[in-house]
Amino acid sequence: MGDQQFKSAVETTLKVIGGKWKPVILCLLTDGAMRFGELRREMPAITHKMLTQQLRELEQDGIIHRDVYPQVPPKVEYTMTEYGRSLKGVLEVMARWGTQHMESGSSPKASDSTSTID
């Protein structure tokens, strides 16, 4: 699993969905379309600028779609594309791992060099 192709594939995945906010955005959008304000309410710690940047990057990578409705005030909704929905399995695995990690009592910053992978 530590071969170069594996490493390169993981790096590619992280370039697209890596970071603190993109996986959270994608998890929220798996349930359907959301407006910018709805996303902000679900992630109160993210700044307006950062959410805008993350949404733009996901849109440029073809992971999400931005629908703009011609009305006043403008209505914008974000949805996952079919390509983006292909990440659902990755997000589910991340969620399962995170749940197990939290239940084990480990802190997010803890590093235990004695642990093993099952």
Side-chain angles (χ1 to χ4, degrees):
M1 215 155 106
D3 68 1
Q4 187 59 36
Q5 184 177 357
F6 177 81
K7 181 179 174 268
S8 180
V10 170
E11 288 173 347
T12 299
T13 303
L14 289 175
K15 283 180 187 175
V16 177
I17 67 163
K20 181 176 181 177
W21 298 111
K22 286 180 182 177
V24 178
I25 293 167
L26 294 174
C27 284
L28 291 169
L29 292 177
T30 58
D31 292 331
M34 292 185 79
R35 296 179 71 174
F36 187 91
E38 293 173 317
L39 290 165
R40 276 295 305 272
R41 281 190 291 281
E42 292 291 329
M43 299 181 293
I46 193 170
T47 65
H48 186 281
K49 179 181 176 181
M50 180 58 68
L51 180 56
T52 300
Q53 178 184 334
Q54 299 292 282
L55 289 168
R56 283 185 182 150
E57 289 175 10
L58 288 167
E59 184 181 13
Q60 288 170 353
D61 288 329
I63 305 299
I64 65 171
H65 179 73
R66 180 176 184 261
D67 281 315
V68 182
Y69 297 92
Q71 64 186 48
V72 177
K75 178 181 174 182
V76 178
E77 286 186 336
Y78 296 91
T79 55
M80 289 183 78
T81 62
E82 186 174 333
Y83 183 55
R85 286 190 294 276
S86 71
L87 290 165
K88 186 175 181 184
V90 173
L91 297 169
E92 288 171 346
V93 169
M94 289 174 65
R96 273 196 308 275
W97 187 90
T99 299
Q100 291 172 350
H101 184 71
M102 289 185 301
E103 289 172 352
S104 74
S106 300
S107 73
K109 303 247 182 223
S111 61
D112 183 1
S113 60
T114 62
S115 66
T116 59
I117 298 173
D118 293 329

